[in-house]
Amino acid sequence: MSAPLLQAEGIRVSYGRIEAVRGVDLHVGAGEFVGVIGSNGAGKSSLMRAIAGVLSPAGGRVAFGGEDTTGQPSHRMVARGLAMVPEGRMIFADQTVRENLLLGGYSRLRSDPQGVAADEDRMLTLFPRLKERLAQEAGTLSGGEQQMLAIARGLLSRPRLLVIDELSLGLAPVILDMLFPVLAQLNKEGLSILLVEQMASYALSVTDRTYVMENGRMLFDGASRELANDPRVLDAYLGRR
Ligand code: ATP
């Protein structure tokens, strides 16, 4: 069997005396759509930051594309093909939508202006609401539109793996019903996706496999279809049984 696209082993993240991630293993195969669910403060964001190079893990090892990338800064990870859509989107509020797309850094990474233009067109087809708003200040976009912008910006680096931290944060169900199918479509076209999501029902409905994280540890993982009917998940994350 070939090595997974992403392999994280024994990851530890600490903030001073707080141990947010306490030795976690996770992998994503090429073409896989993987979810991580868990309650507030479980350590999901910290784990994603360690994987994407936003912070350096206190322990453990990250391998991406078969190479050890532990502790490599996020711009290097983007260049290697791992892009992250951070929690809270991190868009530049007083820049226009187009400027935000350009600020994604992909233009520095890529030397094929025609390819970039084609990708930009494709993003705007994927998210037509951005097309109508290219000249608008990004801070005036709705939460859903800002999330579309953050995803589009991530995709413009042509990642092999897109890491999304809390897609649903602050978004209305009507927006989520639009965004999740877009992710499913991108995955079908070959993009590997690692999605952290507090709304477990949404995550379980689109992903192939799901990890359940609590108190800085992975409790269990499995096929999303099976976990959607697992009593441990039904009780704690889906609020029904
Ligand atoms: P949420 O869904 O609420 O974002 P999470 O599962 O993503 O939660 P983290 O954000 O990784 O969890 O937080 C895990 C723990 O680490 C929490 O106790 C949090 O307070 C702490 N923590 C996170 N970031 C920092 C930081 N920059 N400094 C200090 N403590 C932090």
Side-chain angles (χ1 to χ4, degrees):
M1 212 178 91
S2 60
L5 180 60
L6 172 74
Q7 178 120 42
E9 284 171 347
I11 302 298
R12 296 184 171 276
V13 176
S14 300
Y15 304 103
R17 289 168 60 184
I18 297 175
E19 269 196 291
V21 181
R22 308 166 185 224
V24 161
D25 298 346
L26 170 150
H27 69 270
V28 180
E32 224 185 351
F33 195 163
V34 172
V36 180
I37 62 173
S39 7
N40 262 323
K44 307 179 298 295
S45 296
S46 302
L47 174 63
M48 294 309 121
R49 290 189 202 122
I51 286 171
V54 179
L55 57 76
S56 212
R61 185 177 159 270
V62 180
F64 182 68
E67 283 177 60
D68 191 331
T69 58
T70 316
Q72 287 203 1
S74 53
H75 67 270
R76 286 253 182 85
M77 296 306 288
V78 173
R80 285 178 180 275
L82 187 157
M84 168 141 145
V85 179
E87 184 174 5
R89 289 131 211 173
M90 304 297 172
I91 60 149
F92 299 93
D94 56 358
Q95 308 275 337
T96 66
V97 168
R98 164 150 274 151
E99 284 163 344
N100 266 275
L101 287 173
L102 293 166
L103 284 165
Y106 68 95
S107 51
R108 272 185 287 121
L109 295 171
R110 294 179 53 182
S111 52
D112 57 333
Q114 284 180 341
V116 170
D119 279 2
E120 221 181 288
D121 275 354
R122 183 156 175 274
M123 285 316 120
L124 299 174
T125 312
L126 215 52
F127 300 114
R129 288 168 77 142
L130 294 182
K131 191 171 192 166
E132 299 152 20
R133 293 170 171 79
L134 276 174
Q136 190 173 324
E137 274 190 12
T140 63
L141 294 176
S142 72
E145 290 159 1
Q146 291 188 13
Q147 190 62 289
M148 292 171 203
L149 176 57
I151 294 170
R153 186 178 57 186
L155 289 171
L156 282 173
S157 64
R158 284 216 182 163
R160 284 186 285 164
L161 176 66
L162 187 67
V163 177
I164 306 175
D165 193 0
E166 291 291 356
L167 183 81
S168 75
L169 197 73
L171 301 183
V174 60
I175 302 291
L176 299 180
D177 290 342
M178 201 217 94
L179 283 178
F180 277 97
V182 171
L183 295 185
Q185 175 64 30
L186 289 164
N187 174 248
K188 221 187 238 168
E189 291 169 10
L191 179 68
S192 309
I193 305 177
L194 177 58
L195 171 74
V196 166
E197 184 52 67
Q198 258 198 65
M199 307 244 317
S201 57
Y202 277 101
L204 290 164
S205 69
V206 289
T207 54
D208 303 314
R209 201 157 54 77
T210 296
Y211 288 90
V212 180
M213 189 170 180
E214 283 307 334
N215 291 323
R217 295 202 163 88
M218 283 308 179
L219 296 184
F220 51 90
D221 70 288
S224 303
R225 211 177 300 128
E226 284 163 25
L227 289 189
N229 296 306
D230 186 311
R232 295 170 294 180
V233 172
L234 288 171
D235 281 347
Y237 305 104
L238 297 173
R240 61 189 146 90
R241 203 177 168 181

